[in-house]
Amino acid sequence: MDFLSPLQDPNVRWVIIAVSLICTSASVVGCFTFLRKRALIGDAIAHAILPGICLAFMIAQTKNPLILLVGAFVSGWLGVLLIDLIVERSKLKTDAALGLVLSVFYGIGILLLTIIQSSGNAAQSGLDKFLFGKAAAMDQQDVVVFTIFSAILLIIVIALFNTFKLISFDRDFALVKGFPVRKLEFLLSVLTVLAIAIGIQAVGVVLMAAFLITPAAAARYWTNKLGIMVILAVLFSVASGLLGTYVSYEIPRMPTGPWIVTVLTLFTFVSVMLGRRKGVLYNILQRQRNERKMLRENILKCLYHLGEDDGRFGQMRSFDEIQQKRAFEQANLLKGLKKLKRRKLVKLYNQQAGLTEKGIEAGARITRIHRLWELYLTQYMQLPADHVHEDAEAIEHIITPELEQELESQLAYPLVDPHDRPITYNPNQNG
C-alpha cells in the first residue's frame, strides 16, 4: 500500500518509533499535570531546559543525546525548584513565578546558544534545532535513549498510578490519610521534567508544552475516569505523531514537530465540539433534551392541577383552558402534547387533551416532588413559603426516584405542602 511505503525507509521507522515514545511519555505525565491545574509549568520547564542543553554541549563538546538529555533534565529540574522556591519564599503568585523562570532561563539559553554558534566549533551545527525541534533527523541512537527513559517514566507512573490519582483529585484527603504528598508532587514534577527533556529534541522548547497538555485536554472531553483519560490521551498523541510524521515525509520541507502539534490541535478541536462530557455539541443537545423534558412534565403537571381543581383528572381540556392555567406557547404546547401522546400519557383529539391513567400517575409524581421540595426548603433551609416555588420548579425535573424516596423518608411522608395543598402517594410505595 502506498500509505505504508514510507515505512520502507529505515530513517522514517526510527522517527516513527521515537515520536511514538515521546508522545506516549508526554501524554501520560501530562494527564496528571493537567488535572493538578499546572498546565503552564510545562511551558516554563520546556524553556528552562534550553540552558541545560547548551551547558551540556559546552562541557562535553558533543551532541550525544544522552549527555544533552542529562543537561536538559538538570536544568529543567532546577527550574521547577526555583518556581517552588519563589512561590514559597516570596509574595509572588505561581503565574508570576512561572513567567519569571521561563523568561530568565530562556534568555540565558539563547545567550549560551549564541556564544556556542560564534565559537567556531563545527560540532555545534544543528544545536539551534532544539528551539523548534528536529524530529525528522532522529536516528537509532536517539531511539535507544528515548526507550530507556520512557520505560523508566512509564514504570514509575504505573507503579504509583493510584497514588498519583489521589493527589491529583483530592490533595487534602491524601494529606489526611498520611500520604507524603509533597514528595509525591516532587516526583511528579521530576517525571514532568523527564518527559519534556525526552521530547524537546523532536518539537523544541516552543512547542513542547503542547505535547504535554493538549492530549490530556482533548481526552478530558470524553471521560471522567482517569484510566480511560490516559489511554485516550496516548491514542490522540501517538496518532497525531504518526500523521504529523507522514505529512512531513510526503510534503518536502514541512517540519515534523509543528505538523504533529497541528494534527493534535485538530483532535482537540473535535473533542471540544463533540466530546461526550463537556463538548459544545453535547451540551447543546443535553440542554435541548432537558428543555423538552421540562416542557412535557410541566404539561403533565398543569393537566393534573386542572384535575385537582374539579376532581376530574381524566377530563379532556381545551388548549385555551390549559394555557389559562399555565402560559405555554401554542407551538410548544402542541409539540409537547404530541410527544406525551406517543408515550401514552395523554389523549389528544380536536384541540383538546386529557391525561390517561398512566399520565395521571406521571402528573401526580411531578406534582408530589414539587410539593415535597417546597416543604424541604421551608423546613430544612428555613425559607419562607412564598419564596420556594421557583426553586422547586427548577429542581423537580432532575430528582431521581432514589432521591424522591429519600426526600419522602426525610420528611416522614407528609400529607400537605407549605401551602396546605395535598401530597398524594402511590399506594404501591411505602408510606
Side-chain angles (χ1 to χ4, degrees):
M1 294 175 64
D2 291 338
F3 182 76
L4 298 177
S5 61
L7 293 177
Q8 296 173 3
D9 185 337
N11 291 328
V12 174
R13 291 200 294 271
W14 291 126
V15 170
I16 287 175
I17 296 171
V19 166
S20 299
L21 290 169
I22 292 168
C23 290
T24 302
S25 305
S27 55
V28 169
V29 176
C31 287
F32 295 101
T33 307
F34 177 82
L35 291 173
R36 293 167 62 216
K37 299 179 180 177
R38 302 200 70 183
L40 285 178
I41 199 167
D43 203 22
I45 294 172
H47 285 77
I49 273 174
L50 186 59
I53 294 172
C54 294
L55 284 172
F57 175 81
M58 293 171 78
I59 294 170
Q61 296 293 305
T62 175
K63 289 189 295 183
N64 182 293
L66 180 59
I67 294 173
L68 297 184
L69 184 61
V70 171
F73 177 78
V74 172
S75 182
W77 181 63
L78 286 175
V80 172
L81 287 181
L82 191 56
I83 290 168
D84 290 340
L85 190 66
I86 292 172
V87 173
E88 288 180 6
R89 301 294 176 85
S90 74
K91 294 183 179 180
L92 293 177
K93 301 293 184 185
T94 303
D95 58 340
L98 288 170
L100 189 63
V101 170
L102 183 153
S103 55
V104 170
F105 273 67
Y106 188 62
I108 294 173
I110 293 295
L111 178 63
L112 293 173
L113 192 59
T114 305
I115 293 173
I116 292 170
Q117 289 176 326
S118 59
S119 66
N121 188 338
Q124 60 83 27
S125 176
L127 200 62
D128 59 334
K129 298 294 184 183
F130 280 90
L131 286 175
F132 303 105
K134 55 167 190 174
M138 289 186 292
D139 55 21
Q140 183 179 3
Q141 189 180 18
D142 295 320
V143 171
V144 172
V145 174
F146 293 168
T147 302
I148 294 170
F149 284 96
S150 296
I152 293 172
L153 185 148
L154 293 176
I155 289 171
I156 294 174
V157 171
I158 291 171
L160 297 173
F161 183 82
N162 288 331
T163 308
F164 287 159
K165 179 180 177 181
L166 180 61
I167 64 172
S168 298
F169 281 104
D170 199 337
R171 184 179 187 275
D172 293 336
F173 181 72
L175 279 169
V176 171
K177 297 295 287 185
F179 284 89
V181 172
R182 289 187 64 81
K183 291 180 180 177
L184 290 166
E185 288 179 334
F186 179 75
L187 179 57
L188 265 178
S189 297
V190 170
L191 294 177
T192 305
V193 174
L194 183 59
I196 293 173
I198 293 171
I200 208 78
Q201 189 173 344
V203 291
V205 299
V206 178
L207 296 177
M208 190 55 217
F211 268 51
L212 192 73
I213 299 302
T214 310
R220 190 70 178 88
Y221 277 90
W222 295 98
T223 182
N224 287 329
K225 297 181 178 178
L226 179 58
I228 298 174
M229 178 181 167
V230 171
I231 293 172
L232 287 175
V234 171
L235 289 176
F236 290 152
S237 187
V238 172
S240 301
L242 297 179
L243 287 171
T245 304
Y246 181 78
V247 173
S248 176
Y249 176 84
E250 289 292 331
I251 305 176
R253 297 184 180 180
M254 280 291 174
T256 307
W259 264 109
I260 295 173
V261 174
T262 300
V263 177
L264 197 51
T265 304
L266 289 176
F267 274 114
T268 306
F269 177 76
V270 172
S271 299
V272 170
M273 296 304 296
L274 304 178
R276 291 195 63 231
R277 289 300 170 190
K278 297 181 180 178
V280 173
L281 184 60
Y282 175 82
N283 284 337
I284 291 173
L285 294 175
Q286 186 63 41
R287 186 167 60 248
Q288 290 177 344
R289 277 196 292 269
N290 290 339
E291 288 174 354
R292 290 194 295 269
K293 180 174 184 283
M294 290 171 64
L295 173 65
R296 294 193 303 271
E297 291 186 343
N298 285 334
I299 293 173
L300 286 173
K301 191 169 63 174
C302 179
L303 288 169
Y304 187 81
H305 286 170
L306 287 169
E308 283 186 320
D309 292 343
D310 58 16
R312 296 181 297 174
F313 290 99
Q315 179 70 26
M316 296 296 287
R317 314 282 180 178
S318 69
F319 286 6
D320 288 340
E321 186 179 1
I322 296 171
Q323 287 172 306
Q324 285 174 6
K325 187 68 175 178
R326 183 165 182 142
F328 294 106
E329 290 185 9
Q330 182 77 12
N332 286 338
L333 176 62
L334 186 58
K335 190 186 303 179
L337 285 170
K338 286 181 177 177
K339 189 70 176 177
L340 290 168
K341 182 185 177 186
R342 286 197 289 274
R343 298 186 179 193
K344 302 185 185 308
L345 292 169
V346 300
K347 300 167 286 186
L348 187 60
Y349 177 73
N350 194 24
Q351 297 289 304
Q352 290 186 321
L355 292 172
T356 62
E357 287 298 321
K358 188 179 174 183
I360 293 172
E361 287 183 18
R365 177 181 179 269
I366 193 68
T367 301
R368 178 171 61 252
I369 292 174
H370 180 97
R371 292 172 182 174
L372 285 170
W373 191 248
E374 284 188 334
L375 192 61
Y376 181 87
L377 291 175
T378 55
Q379 288 190 1
Y380 286 86
M381 306 299 290
Q382 304 298 315
L383 294 177
D386 58 348
H387 282 63
V388 295
H389 175 75
E390 294 299 328
D391 289 333
E393 278 282 308
I395 204 161
E396 66 192 20
H397 304 288
I398 59 174
I399 296 283
T400 63
E402 292 77 17
L403 282 176
E404 178 189 351
Q405 199 167 17
E406 181 65 24
L407 194 59
E408 290 172 350
S409 177
Q410 284 282 331
L411 296 170
Y413 299 93
L415 298 178
V416 293
D417 71 356
H419 310 286
D420 290 330
R421 294 172 302 191
I423 299 176
T424 57
Y425 297 90
N426 187 328
N428 294 324
Q429 286 184 290
N430 293 333

